Amino acid sequence: MAIINCPECGKEISDKSETCIYCGYPLKETKSEEAPKDATSEKVSIRNNLENLGRKIGKRRLFVIFGAMLVMVTVILISVISRKVLNEKEKYVYKVVAEYKDMLKDPDSLVLRGDILYVKDSSNDTYVAFSASGNNSYGAPVTSMPIFKNYSYLGDYDDDLDDFDDPMDAAELAYGKLIVVSWNLTAKAGGNMADGEEYLEAELISGKKIAAKIKCEWKK
């Protein structure tokens, strides 16, 4: 260690001092030099950047996949709910089928077959016809096609009109039969009954959906 004079204040100080202990004059400048980057550190830096980029892309993919799954689940839920919820026409048909079920000797034997015809004529009368089977008094299944008008049972499609005591009842059932025949002919021709002036609405209601709601068996 040697004694030197401070260039600023002239007082004696040690040459090891970085600043003058009297006036604070800086005697040594410390420079922090960065070590030169070699090829290995460059490779490590690039690899780290690629890994970070990969993580970001992976997260984005997860978000995309999660979003797609969420959309699929939502669509499925909407589909399930729509199959259970009845619209106004289906509610009408459901009440008619429930009434017919109560008419059977064995209500639990009811089996709906195919779809259910719903027709509203120009007089705003609503007709419902469908194929169904149920056990008779002997426990044997019998298939028929009941026809209803405004919730009232008119009879079966195969009933003989001559068996009716009241001509008006026979006429009502005859008109109901005519509706069924008109639907079949129009459907085969690829037309729509509601295109004419006699009928306002005519369509098939899902028998499978009504059967599920009323808790009975359904067959095509």
Side-chain angles (χ1 to χ4, degrees), residues 44-158:
V44 171
S45 177
I46 293 173
R47 185 182 65 187
N48 291 338
N49 290 336
L50 290 175
E51 289 178 353
N52 291 333
L53 180 61
R55 292 191 193 97
K56 291 180 180 179
I57 294 175
K59 290 180 179 179
R60 289 176 183 174
R61 286 180 179 174
L62 286 176
F63 281 125
V64 172
I65 294 173
F66 178 77
M69 290 177 63
L70 185 61
V71 171
M72 289 177 60
V73 171
T74 302
V75 171
I76 292 173
L77 286 175
I78 292 175
S79 177
V80 171
I81 292 172
S82 64
R83 286 199 297 266
K84 292 184 177 181
V85 177
L86 303 181
N87 58 35
E88 292 303 315
K89 294 178 184 178
E90 291 168 340
K91 288 178 181 178
Y92 184 97
V93 171
Y94 170 80
K95 291 180 180 178
V96 171
V97 176
E99 183 176 342
Y100 179 74
K101 182 179 180 181
D102 292 337
M103 292 168 53
L104 297 178
K105 293 183 179 297
D106 182 6
D108 294 333
S109 67
L110 174 65
V111 178
L112 289 181
R113 298 177 178 275
D115 292 324
I116 301 170
L117 179 60
Y118 172 97
V119 176
K120 181 173 287 189
D121 66 7
S122 57
S123 299
N124 273 317
D125 290 322
T126 303
Y127 291 81
V128 173
F130 54 94
S131 179
S133 61
N135 294 342
N136 59 17
S137 303
Y138 301 99
V142 177
T143 301
S144 59
M145 179 179 286
I147 301 175
F148 284 76
K149 173 188 176 182
N150 300 334
Y151 296 111
S152 296
Y153 175 68
L154 299 180
D156 291 339
Y157 184 84
D158 292 332

Side-chain angles (χ1 to χ4, degrees), residues 156-201:
D156 291 339
Y157 184 84
D158 292 332
D159 285 347
D160 191 344
L161 299 179
D162 293 336
D163 293 338
F164 285 83
D165 296 330
D166 189 340
M168 291 299 297
D169 292 340
E172 289 280 13
L173 180 58
Y175 183 67
K177 289 184 176 185
L178 177 62
I179 287 177
V180 174
V181 172
S182 298
W183 168 267
N184 290 331
L185 292 176
T186 307
K188 287 181 180 179
N192 189 337
M193 287 175 64
D195 290 340
E197 297 180 356
E198 190 172 357
Y199 303 106
L200 302 177
E201 297 178 78

